[in-house]
Coordinates of all heavy atoms in Angstrom, one line a residue:
C1 N -14.2 4.7 -0.7 CA -13.1 4.5 -1.6 C -12.4 3.2 -1.2 O -12.1 3.0 -0.1 CB -12.2 5.6 -1.5 SG -11.1 5.8 -2.9
P2 N -12.2 2.3 -2.2 CA -11.5 1.0 -1.9 C -10.1 1.3 -1.3 O -9.5 2.4 -1.5 CB -11.4 0.3 -3.2 CG -12.4 1.0 -4.1 CD -12.5 2.4 -3.6
Q3 N -9.5 0.3 -0.7 CA -8.2 0.4 -0.1 C -7.2 0.7 -1.3 O -7.2 0.0 -2.3 CB -7.8 -1.0 0.5 CG -6.5 -1.0 1.2 CD -6.5 -0.4 2.6 OE1 -7.5 -0.2 3.1 NE2 -5.3 -0.1 3.1
A4 N -6.3 1.6 -1.0 CA -5.2 1.9 -2.0 C -4.2 0.8 -2.0 O -4.0 0.1 -1.0 CB -4.6 3.2 -1.7
G5 N -3.5 0.7 -3.1 CA -2.4 -0.3 -3.2 C -2.7 -1.4 -4.2 O -3.7 -1.5 -4.8
D6 N -1.7 -2.3 -4.3 CA -1.8 -3.4 -5.3 C -2.4 -4.6 -4.5 O -1.8 -5.0 -3.5 CB -0.4 -3.7 -5.8 CG -0.3 -4.7 -6.9 OD1 -1.3 -5.4 -7.1 OD2 0.7 -4.7 -7.6
P7 N -3.5 -5.2 -5.0 CA -4.1 -6.3 -4.4 C -3.2 -7.6 -4.4 O -3.4 -8.5 -3.6 CB -5.4 -6.5 -5.1 CG -5.2 -5.9 -6.4 CD -4.3 -4.8 -6.2
H8 N -2.3 -7.6 -5.4 CA -1.5 -8.8 -5.6 C -0.1 -8.3 -5.9 O 0.4 -8.5 -7.0 CB -2.0 -9.7 -6.7 CG -3.4 -10.2 -6.4 ND1 -4.5 -9.8 -7.2 CD2 -3.9 -11.0 -5.5 CE1 -5.6 -10.3 -6.7 NE2 -5.2 -11.1 -5.7
P9 N 0.7 -7.8 -4.9 CA 2.0 -7.3 -5.2 C 2.9 -8.3 -5.8 O 2.9 -9.5 -5.5 CB 2.5 -6.9 -3.8 CG 1.3 -6.7 -2.9 CD 0.3 -7.7 -3.5
G10 N 3.7 -7.9 -6.8 CA 4.6 -8.7 -7.5 C 4.0 -9.4 -8.7 O 4.7 -10.0 -9.5
Q11 N 2.7 -9.4 -8.9 CA 2.0 -10.0 -10.0 C 1.8 -9.0 -11.1 O 1.6 -7.8 -10.8 CB 0.7 -10.6 -9.6 CG 0.8 -11.7 -8.5 CD 1.6 -12.9 -9.1 OE1 1.3 -13.4 -10.2 NE2 2.6 -13.3 -8.3
P12 N 1.8 -9.4 -12.3 CA 1.6 -8.5 -13.4 C 0.2 -7.9 -13.4 O -0.8 -8.6 -12.9 CB 1.9 -9.3 -14.7 CG 1.7 -10.7 -14.3 CD 2.0 -10.8 -12.8
Y13 N 0.0 -6.8 -14.0 CA -1.4 -6.2 -14.2 C -1.4 -5.5 -15.5 O -0.4 -5.1 -16.0 CB -1.8 -5.3 -13.0 CG -0.8 -4.2 -12.7 CD1 -1.0 -2.9 -13.4 CD2 0.2 -4.3 -11.8 CE1 -0.1 -1.9 -13.1 CE2 1.0 -3.2 -11.5 CZ 0.9 -2.0 -12.2 OH 1.7 -1.0 -11.9
R14 N -2.6 -5.3 -16.0 CA -2.8 -4.6 -17.3 C -3.0 -3.1 -17.1 O -3.8 -2.7 -16.2 CB -4.0 -5.3 -17.9 CG -4.2 -4.9 -19.3 CD -5.2 -5.8 -19.9 NE -5.7 -5.2 -21.1 CZ -6.6 -5.7 -21.9 NH1 -7.2 -6.8 -21.5 NH2 -7.0 -5.1 -23.0
G15 N -2.4 -2.4 -17.9 CA -2.5 -0.9 -17.9 C -3.7 -0.5 -18.8 O -4.6 -1.3 -19.1
G16 N -3.6 0.7 -19.3 CA -4.7 1.2 -20.2 C -4.4 2.6 -20.6 O -3.4 3.3 -20.2
D17 N -5.2 3.2 -21.5 CA -5.2 4.6 -21.9 C -6.3 5.3 -21.2 O -7.4 4.9 -21.2 CB -5.4 4.7 -23.4 CG -4.3 4.0 -24.2 OD1 -3.1 4.1 -23.7 OD2 -4.5 3.4 -25.2
F18 N -5.9 6.4 -20.5 CA -6.9 7.2 -19.7 C -6.9 8.6 -20.2 O -5.8 9.2 -20.3 CB -6.6 7.1 -18.2 CG -6.7 5.7 -17.7 CD1 -5.6 4.8 -17.8 CD2 -7.8 5.3 -17.1 CE1 -5.7 3.5 -17.3 CE2 -7.9 4.0 -16.6 CZ -6.9 3.1 -16.7
F19 N -8.0 9.2 -20.4 CA -8.1 10.6 -20.9 C -9.2 11.3 -20.0 O -10.2 10.7 -19.7 CB -8.6 10.6 -22.3 CG -7.7 10.0 -23.3 CD1 -7.8 8.6 -23.6 CD2 -6.6 10.7 -23.8 CE1 -7.0 8.0 -24.5 CE2 -5.7 10.0 -24.7 CZ -5.9 8.7 -25.0
A20 N -8.9 12.5 -19.6 CA -9.8 13.3 -18.9 C -9.8 14.7 -19.4 O -8.8 15.2 -20.0 CB -9.5 13.3 -17.4
F21 N -10.9 15.5 -19.2 CA -11.0 16.8 -19.8 C -11.4 17.8 -18.7 O -12.2 17.5 -17.8 CB -12.1 16.8 -20.9 CG -11.8 15.8 -22.0 CD1 -12.3 14.5 -21.9 CD2 -11.0 16.2 -23.0 CE1 -12.0 13.6 -22.9 CE2 -10.7 15.3 -24.0 CZ -11.2 14.0 -24.0
L22 N -10.8 19.0 -18.8 CA -11.1 20.1 -17.9 C -11.3 21.3 -18.8 O -10.7 21.5 -19.9 CB -10.0 20.4 -17.0 CG -9.7 19.4 -15.9 CD1 -8.4 19.7 -15.2 CD2 -10.9 19.4 -14.9
P23 N -12.2 22.3 -18.4 CA -12.3 23.5 -19.2 C -11.0 24.4 -19.0 O -10.4 24.3 -18.0 CB -13.5 24.2 -18.6 CG -13.7 23.6 -17.2 CD -13.1 22.2 -17.3
D24 N -10.7 25.1 -20.1 CA -9.5 26.0 -20.0 C -10.0 27.3 -19.5 O -10.2 28.3 -20.2 CB -8.9 26.1 -21.4 CG -7.6 26.9 -21.3 OD1 -7.1 27.1 -20.2 OD2 -7.1 27.3 -22.4
N25 N -10.2 27.4 -18.2 CA -10.5 28.6 -17.5 C -9.9 28.6 -16.1 O -9.2 27.6 -15.8 CB -12.1 28.8 -17.4 CG -12.8 27.7 -16.6 OD1 -12.2 27.0 -15.8 ND2 -14.0 27.5 -17.0
K26 N -10.1 29.6 -15.3 CA -9.4 29.7 -14.0 C -9.7 28.5 -13.1 O -8.9 27.9 -12.5 CB -9.9 31.0 -13.3 CG -9.2 31.3 -12.0 CD -9.6 32.6 -11.4 CE -9.0 32.9 -10.1 NZ -9.4 34.1 -9.5
E27 N -11.0 28.1 -13.1 CA -11.4 27.0 -12.2 C -10.8 25.7 -12.7 O -10.4 24.8 -11.9 CB -12.9 26.9 -12.1 CG -13.6 28.1 -11.4 CD -13.8 29.3 -12.3 OE1 -13.7 29.2 -13.5 OE2 -14.0 30.4 -11.7
G28 N -10.8 25.5 -14.0 CA -10.2 24.3 -14.6 C -8.8 24.2 -14.4 O -8.2 23.1 -14.1
Q29 N -8.0 25.3 -14.5 CA -6.6 25.3 -14.2 C -6.3 25.1 -12.8 O -5.3 24.3 -12.5 CB -6.0 26.7 -14.7 CG -6.1 26.8 -16.2 CD -5.8 28.2 -16.7 OE1 -5.4 29.1 -15.9 NE2 -6.0 28.4 -18.0
K30 N -7.1 25.6 -11.9 CA -6.9 25.3 -10.4 C -7.1 23.8 -10.2 O -6.4 23.2 -9.4 CB -7.9 26.1 -9.6 CG -7.9 25.8 -8.1 CD -9.0 26.5 -7.4 CE -9.3 25.9 -6.0 NZ -10.5 26.4 -5.4
T31 N -8.1 23.2 -10.8 CA -8.4 21.8 -10.7 C -7.3 21.0 -11.2 O -6.9 20.0 -10.6 CB -9.8 21.5 -11.3 OG1 -10.8 22.3 -10.8 CG2 -10.1 20.0 -11.1
A32 N -6.7 21.4 -12.3 CA -5.6 20.7 -12.9 C -4.4 20.6 -12.0 O -3.8 19.5 -11.9 CB -5.2 21.3 -14.3
V33 N -4.1 21.7 -11.3 CA -3.0 21.7 -10.3 C -3.3 20.7 -9.2 O -2.5 19.9 -8.8 CB -2.8 23.1 -9.7 CG1 -1.9 23.1 -8.5 CG2 -2.3 24.0 -10.8
L34 N -4.6 20.6 -8.7 CA -4.9 19.7 -7.6 C -4.9 18.3 -8.1 O -4.4 17.4 -7.4 CB -6.3 20.0 -7.1 CG -6.5 21.4 -6.4 CD1 -7.9 21.6 -6.0 CD2 -5.6 21.4 -5.1
L35 N -5.3 18.0 -9.4 CA -5.3 16.7 -9.9 C -3.8 16.2 -10.1 O -3.5 15.0 -9.9 CB -6.0 16.6 -11.3 CG -7.6 16.7 -11.2 CD1 -8.2 16.9 -12.5 CD2 -8.1 15.4 -10.5
K36 N -3.0 17.1 -10.5 CA -1.5 16.8 -10.6 C -1.0 16.3 -9.3 O -0.3 15.3 -9.2 CB -0.7 17.9 -11.2 CG 0.7 17.6 -11.4 CD 1.5 18.7 -12.0 CE 2.9 18.2 -12.2 NZ 3.9 19.3 -12.0
K37 N -1.3 17.1 -8.2 CA -0.8 16.7 -6.9 C -1.4 15.3 -6.5 O -0.7 14.5 -5.9 CB -1.2 17.7 -5.8 CG -0.5 19.0 -6.0 CD -0.9 20.0 -4.9 CE -0.2 21.3 -5.1 NZ -0.6 22.3 -4.1
A38 N -2.6 15.1 -6.8 CA -3.2 13.8 -6.5 C -2.5 12.7 -7.2 O -2.3 11.6 -6.7 CB -4.7 13.8 -6.8
F39 N -2.2 12.9 -8.5 CA -1.5 11.9 -9.3 C -0.1 11.6 -8.7 O 0.3 10.5 -8.6 CB -1.4 12.4 -10.8 CG -0.6 11.5 -11.6 CD1 -1.1 10.4 -12.2 CD2 0.8 11.7 -11.9 CE1 -0.4 9.5 -13.0 CE2 1.5 10.9 -12.6 CZ 0.9 9.7 -13.2
E40 N 0.6 12.7 -8.3 CA 1.9 12.5 -7.8 C 1.9 11.7 -6.4 O 2.9 11.1 -6.1 CB 2.6 13.9 -7.6 CG 2.9 14.5 -8.9 CD 3.3 16.0 -8.8 OE1 3.1 16.6 -7.7 OE2 3.9 16.5 -9.8
Q41 N 0.8 11.8 -5.8 CA 0.6 11.0 -4.5 C 0.0 9.6 -4.7 O -0.3 8.9 -3.7 CB -0.2 11.8 -3.5 CG 0.4 13.1 -3.1 CD -0.5 13.9 -2.2 OE1 -1.4 13.4 -1.6 NE2 -0.2 15.2 -2.1
G42 N -0.2 9.2 -6.0 CA -0.7 7.9 -6.3 C -2.2 7.7 -6.0 O -2.6 6.6 -5.8
L43 N -3.0 8.8 -6.1 CA -4.4 8.8 -5.8 C -5.3 8.7 -7.0 O -6.5 8.5 -6.9 CB -4.8 10.0 -4.9 CG -4.0 10.1 -3.6 CD1 -4.3 11.4 -2.9 CD2 -4.3 8.9 -2.7
T44 N -4.7 8.8 -8.2 CA -5.6 8.9 -9.4 C -6.0 7.6 -9.9 O -7.2 7.5 -10.3 CB -4.8 9.6 -10.5 OG1 -4.3 10.9 -10.0 CG2 -5.6 9.8 -11.8
F45 N -5.2 6.6 -9.8 CA -5.6 5.2 -10.3 C -5.5 4.2 -9.1 O -4.9 4.4 -8.1 CB -4.6 4.8 -11.4 CG -4.6 5.8 -12.5 CD1 -3.6 6.7 -12.7 CD2 -5.6 5.8 -13.5 CE1 -3.6 7.6 -13.8 CE2 -5.6 6.6 -14.5 CZ -4.6 7.5 -14.7
Q46 N -6.1 3.1 -9.4 CA -6.0 1.9 -8.5 C -5.9 0.7 -9.3 O -6.2 0.7 -10.5 CB -7.2 1.9 -7.6 CG -8.5 1.7 -8.3 CD -9.7 1.9 -7.3 OE1 -9.5 2.3 -6.2 NE2 -10.9 1.6 -7.8
I47 N -5.5 -0.4 -8.7 CA -5.4 -1.7 -9.4 C -6.6 -2.5 -8.8 O -6.7 -2.7 -7.6 CB -4.1 -2.4 -9.1 CG1 -3.0 -1.5 -9.7 CG2 -4.1 -3.8 -9.8 CD1 -1.6 -2.0 -9.3
K48 N -7.4 -3.1 -9.7 CA -8.6 -3.9 -9.4 C -8.5 -5.2 -10.1 O -8.0 -5.3 -11.2 CB -9.9 -3.2 -9.7 CG -10.4 -2.1 -8.8 CD -11.7 -1.7 -9.3 CE -12.4 -0.8 -8.3 NZ -13.7 -0.4 -8.8
S49 N -9.1 -6.2 -9.5 CA -9.3 -7.5 -10.1 C -10.6 -7.5 -10.9 O -11.7 -7.2 -10.3 CB -9.3 -8.6 -9.1 OG -8.0 -8.8 -8.6
C50 N -10.5 -7.7 -12.2 CA -11.7 -7.7 -13.0 C -11.7 -9.0 -13.8 O -10.8 -9.2 -14.6 CB -11.8 -6.5 -14.0 SG -11.7 -4.9 -13.2
S51 N -12.7 -9.9 -13.6 CA -12.7 -11.2 -14.4 C -11.4 -12.0 -14.2 O -10.9 -12.5 -15.2 CB -13.1 -10.9 -15.8 OG -14.3 -10.2 -15.9
G52 N -10.9 -12.0 -13.0 CA -9.7 -12.8 -12.8 C -8.4 -12.1 -13.3 O -7.3 -12.7 -13.2
E53 N -8.5 -10.9 -13.7 CA -7.3 -10.2 -14.3 C -7.1 -8.9 -13.5 O -8.1 -8.1 -13.3 CB -7.5 -9.9 -15.7 CG -6.4 -9.1 -16.4 CD -6.6 -8.8 -17.8 OE1 -7.6 -8.2 -18.1 OE2 -5.8 -9.2 -18.6
D54 N -5.9 -8.6 -13.0 CA -5.6 -7.3 -12.3 C -5.4 -6.3 -13.4 O -4.7 -6.5 -14.4 CB -4.4 -7.4 -11.4 CG -4.7 -8.3 -10.2 OD1 -5.9 -8.6 -9.9 OD2 -3.7 -8.7 -9.5
R55 N -6.0 -5.1 -13.2 CA -5.9 -4.1 -14.2 C -6.0 -2.7 -13.5 O -6.6 -2.6 -12.5 CB -6.9 -4.2 -15.3 CG -8.3 -4.0 -14.9 CD -9.3 -4.2 -16.0 NE -8.7 -3.9 -17.3 CZ -9.1 -4.4 -18.4 NH1 -10.0 -5.3 -18.5 NH2 -8.5 -4.1 -19.6
V56 N -5.4 -1.7 -14.2 CA -5.4 -0.3 -13.7 C -6.8 0.3 -14.0 O -7.3 0.1 -15.1 CB -4.3 0.5 -14.3 CG1 -4.4 2.0 -13.9 CG2 -2.9 -0.1 -14.0
T57 N -7.4 0.9 -13.0 CA -8.7 1.6 -13.3 C -8.6 3.0 -12.6 O -7.7 3.3 -11.9 CB -9.9 0.9 -12.6 OG1 -9.7 0.8 -11.2 CG2 -10.0 -0.6 -13.2
W58 N -9.6 3.8 -12.9 CA -9.6 5.1 -12.2 C -9.8 4.9 -10.8 O -10.5 3.9 -10.4 CB -10.9 5.9 -12.7 CG -10.7 6.5 -14.1 CD1 -11.4 6.1 -15.2 CD2 -9.9 7.6 -14.5 NE1 -11.1 6.9 -16.3 CE2 -10.1 7.8 -15.9 CE3 -9.0 8.4 -13.9 CZ2 -9.5 8.8 -16.6 CZ3 -8.3 9.4 -14.6 CH2 -8.6 9.6 -15.9
G59 N -9.3 5.8 -9.9 CA -9.5 5.7 -8.5 C -10.8 6.4 -8.1 O -11.7 6.4 -8.9
C60 N -10.8 6.9 -6.9 CA -12.0 7.5 -6.4 C -12.3 9.0 -6.8 O -13.3 9.5 -6.5 CB -12.0 7.5 -4.8 SG -11.9 5.8 -4.2
I61 N -11.3 9.6 -7.4 CA -11.4 10.9 -7.8 C -12.2 11.0 -9.2 O -11.8 10.3 -10.1 CB -10.1 11.6 -8.1 CG1 -9.3 11.6 -6.7 CG2 -10.2 13.0 -8.6 CD1 -7.8 11.9 -6.9
P62 N -13.3 11.7 -9.2 CA -14.1 11.7 -10.4 C -13.4 12.5 -11.5 O -12.8 13.5 -11.3 CB -15.4 12.4 -10.0 CG -15.1 13.2 -8.8 CD -14.0 12.5 -8.1
H63 N -13.5 11.9 -12.7 CA -12.9 12.6 -13.9 C -13.9 12.7 -15.0 O -14.8 11.8 -15.2 CB -11.7 11.8 -14.4 CG -10.5 11.9 -13.6 ND1 -10.3 11.1 -12.4 CD2 -9.4 12.6 -13.7 CE1 -9.2 11.4 -11.9 NE2 -8.6 12.3 -12.7
K64 N -13.8 13.7 -15.8 CA -14.7 13.9 -17.0 C -13.9 13.2 -18.1 O -12.9 13.7 -18.6 CB -15.0 15.3 -17.3 CG -15.9 16.0 -16.3 CD -17.2 15.3 -16.3 CE -18.2 15.8 -15.3 NZ -19.4 15.0 -15.3
T65 N -14.5 12.2 -18.7 CA -13.8 11.4 -19.7 C -14.4 11.6 -21.1 O -14.0 11.0 -22.1 CB -13.8 9.9 -19.4 OG1 -15.2 9.5 -19.2 CG2 -13.1 9.6 -18.1
R66 N -15.4 12.5 -21.2 CA -16.0 12.9 -22.5 C -16.3 14.4 -22.5 O -16.6 15.0 -21.4 CB -17.3 12.1 -22.6 CG -17.2 10.7 -22.7 CD -18.6 10.0 -22.6 NE -18.5 8.6 -22.6 CZ -18.8 7.9 -23.6 NH1 -19.2 8.4 -24.8 NH2 -18.7 6.6 -23.5
W67 N -16.3 15.0 -23.6 CA -16.7 16.4 -23.8 C -18.2 16.5 -23.7 O -18.8 17.5 -23.4 CB -16.2 17.0 -25.1 CG -14.8 17.4 -25.0 CD1 -13.8 17.0 -25.8 CD2 -14.2 18.4 -24.1 NE1 -12.6 17.6 -25.4 CE2 -12.9 18.5 -24.5 CE3 -14.8 19.2 -23.1 CZ2 -12.0 19.4 -23.8 CZ3 -13.9 20.1 -22.5 CH2 -12.6 20.2 -22.8
E68 N -18.9 15.4 -24.1 CA -20.4 15.4 -24.2 C -21.0 14.3 -23.4 O -20.3 13.4 -22.9 CB -20.8 15.2 -25.7 CG -20.2 16.2 -26.6 CD -20.5 15.9 -28.1 OE1 -20.6 14.7 -28.4 OE2 -20.5 16.8 -28.9
G69 N -22.3 14.3 -23.3 CA -23.0 13.2 -22.6 C -23.5 13.5 -21.2 O -24.3 12.8 -20.6
G70 N -23.1 14.7 -20.7 CA -23.6 15.1 -19.4 C -23.0 14.3 -18.3 O -22.2 13.4 -18.4
K71 N -23.5 14.6 -17.1 CA -23.0 13.9 -15.9 C -23.2 12.4 -15.9 O -22.3 11.7 -15.5 CB -23.8 14.5 -14.7 CG -23.2 14.0 -13.3 CD -23.9 14.7 -12.2 CE -23.2 14.3 -10.9 NZ -23.6 15.1 -9.8
A72 N -24.3 11.9 -16.5 CA -24.6 10.5 -16.5 C -23.5 9.7 -17.3 O -23.3 8.5 -17.0 CB -26.0 10.3 -17.1
R73 N -22.9 10.4 -18.2 CA -21.9 9.7 -19.0 C -20.4 10.2 -18.8 O -19.6 10.1 -19.7 CB -22.2 9.8 -20.5 CG -23.6 9.1 -20.8 CD -23.9 8.9 -22.2 NE -22.7 8.2 -22.8 CZ -22.7 7.7 -24.0 NH1 -23.8 7.8 -24.7 NH2 -21.6 7.1 -24.5
N74 N -20.2 10.7 -17.6 CA -18.9 11.3 -17.3 C -18.5 12.4 -18.2 O -17.3 12.5 -18.6 CB -17.8 10.2 -17.2 CG -18.0 9.3 -16.0 OD1 -18.6 9.7 -15.0 ND2 -17.7 8.1 -16.1
G75 N -19.4 13.2 -18.7 CA -19.1 14.2 -19.6 C -19.7 15.6 -19.2 O -20.2 15.8 -18.2
Y76 N -19.5 16.5 -20.1 CA -20.1 17.9 -20.0 C -21.3 17.9 -20.8 O -21.5 17.1 -21.7 CB -19.1 18.9 -20.4 CG -17.8 19.0 -19.5 CD1 -16.7 18.4 -19.9 CD2 -17.9 19.6 -18.3 CE1 -15.5 18.4 -19.1 CE2 -16.7 19.7 -17.5 CZ -15.6 19.1 -17.9 OH -14.5 19.1 -17.1
P77 N -22.3 18.8 -20.5 CA -22.3 19.8 -19.4 C -22.5 19.1 -18.1 O -23.3 18.2 -17.9 CB -23.4 20.7 -19.8 CG -24.3 19.9 -20.6 CD -23.5 18.9 -21.3
D78 N -21.9 19.7 -17.1 CA -22.1 19.3 -15.7 C -21.6 20.5 -14.8 O -20.4 20.7 -14.5 CB -21.3 18.1 -15.3 CG -21.5 17.6 -13.9 OD1 -22.1 18.3 -13.1 OD2 -21.0 16.5 -13.5
S79 N -22.6 21.4 -14.5 CA -22.3 22.6 -13.9 C -21.7 22.5 -12.5 O -21.1 23.4 -12.0 CB -23.5 23.5 -13.9 OG -24.5 22.9 -13.1
H80 N -21.8 21.3 -11.9 CA -21.3 21.2 -10.5 C -19.9 20.4 -10.4 O -19.4 20.2 -9.4 CB -22.3 20.4 -9.7 CG -23.6 21.2 -9.6 ND1 -23.7 22.4 -8.9 CD2 -24.8 21.0 -10.1 CE1 -25.0 22.8 -9.0 NE2 -25.6 22.0 -9.8
Y81 N -19.4 19.9 -11.6 CA -18.3 19.0 -11.6 C -17.1 19.6 -10.9 O -16.4 19.0 -10.0 CB -17.9 18.6 -13.0 CG -16.6 17.8 -13.0 CD1 -16.4 16.6 -12.4 CD2 -15.4 18.4 -13.5 CE1 -15.2 15.9 -12.4 CE2 -14.2 17.8 -13.5 CZ -14.1 16.5 -12.9 OH -12.9 15.9 -12.9
L82 N -16.7 20.8 -11.3 CA -15.4 21.4 -10.7 C -15.5 21.6 -9.2 O -14.6 21.3 -8.5 CB -15.1 22.7 -11.4 CG -14.7 22.6 -12.9 CD1 -14.5 24.0 -13.5 CD2 -13.5 21.7 -13.1
Q83 N -16.7 22.0 -8.8 CA -16.9 22.2 -7.3 C -16.8 20.8 -6.6 O -16.1 20.6 -5.6 CB -18.2 22.8 -7.0 CG -18.5 23.0 -5.5 CD -19.8 23.7 -5.3 OE1 -20.5 24.0 -6.2 NE2 -20.2 23.8 -4.0
E84 N -17.4 19.8 -7.2 CA -17.4 18.4 -6.6 C -16.0 17.8 -6.6 O -15.6 17.3 -5.6 CB -18.4 17.5 -7.4 CG -19.8 17.9 -7.2 CD -20.8 17.1 -8.1 OE1 -20.3 16.2 -8.8 OE2 -22.0 17.4 -8.1
V85 N -15.3 17.9 -7.7 CA -14.0 17.3 -7.8 C -13.0 18.0 -6.8 O -12.2 17.4 -6.2 CB -13.4 17.2 -9.2 CG1 -13.0 18.5 -9.7 CG2 -12.2 16.2 -9.2
C86 N -13.1 19.3 -6.7 CA -12.3 20.1 -5.7 C -12.6 19.7 -4.3 O -11.7 19.6 -3.5 CB -12.4 21.6 -6.0 SG -11.5 22.1 -7.5
T87 N -13.9 19.4 -4.0 CA -14.2 18.9 -2.7 C -13.5 17.6 -2.4 O -13.0 17.4 -1.3 CB -15.7 18.8 -2.5 OG1 -16.3 20.1 -2.7 CG2 -16.1 18.3 -1.2
V88 N -13.6 16.7 -3.4 CA -12.9 15.4 -3.2 C -11.4 15.5 -3.0 O -10.8 14.9 -2.2 CB -13.3 14.5 -4.4 CG1 -12.4 13.2 -4.4 CG2 -14.7 14.1 -4.4
L89 N -10.8 16.4 -3.8 CA -9.4 16.6 -3.8 C -9.0 17.3 -2.5 O -7.9 17.1 -2.0 CB -8.9 17.4 -5.0 CG -9.1 16.7 -6.3 CD1 -8.9 17.7 -7.5 CD2 -8.1 15.6 -6.4

């Protein structure tokens, strides 16, 4: 995982829209609580330089950003995702 923090403190950076999906079941709800704690501790996102521009990106915690597409496209189905993300968290 890259170093946390701002690579260029005091300089502007670009934000973005981020969406992630969890199943509405016991395991998904448990994961949501852990993801919320990670967010509150500043672990969900990082600032990276991309093509000479600093921007917000996902951090090291894996997120499902699509309902479809499987593991290869950050989507479902992925039968091991909840176990894997809880291990990371």
Side-chain angles (χ1 to χ4, degrees):
C1 198
Q3 182 83 14
D6 188 341
H8 303 110
Q11 297 297 312
Y13 57 87
R14 190 169 164 184
D17 294 322
F18 297 85
F19 300 91
F21 302 95
L22 292 168
D24 187 13
N25 59 28
K26 184 178 177 180
E27 294 81 16
Q29 292 167 7
K30 174 186 164 193
T31 303
V33 170
L34 295 174
L35 286 169
K36 182 178 183 215
K37 288 181 183 179
F39 176 81
E40 290 168 348
Q41 294 177 22
L43 302 172
T44 304
F45 302 103
Q46 61 189 9
I47 301 172
K48 280 187 167 177
S49 290
C50 301
S51 302
E53 177 182 59
D54 290 344
R55 63 182 333 148
V56 177
T57 64
W58 287 110
C60 298
I61 300 167
H63 286 79
K64 289 296 175 185
T65 57
R66 300 170 180 256
W67 279 119
E68 303 172 334
K71 186 173 186 169
R73 296 195 52 170
N74 292 329
Y76 293 100
D78 182 351
S79 61
H80 300 289
Y81 171 70
L82 292 176
Q83 181 181 357
E84 290 172 5
V85 73
C86 286
T87 299
V88 170
L89 292 167

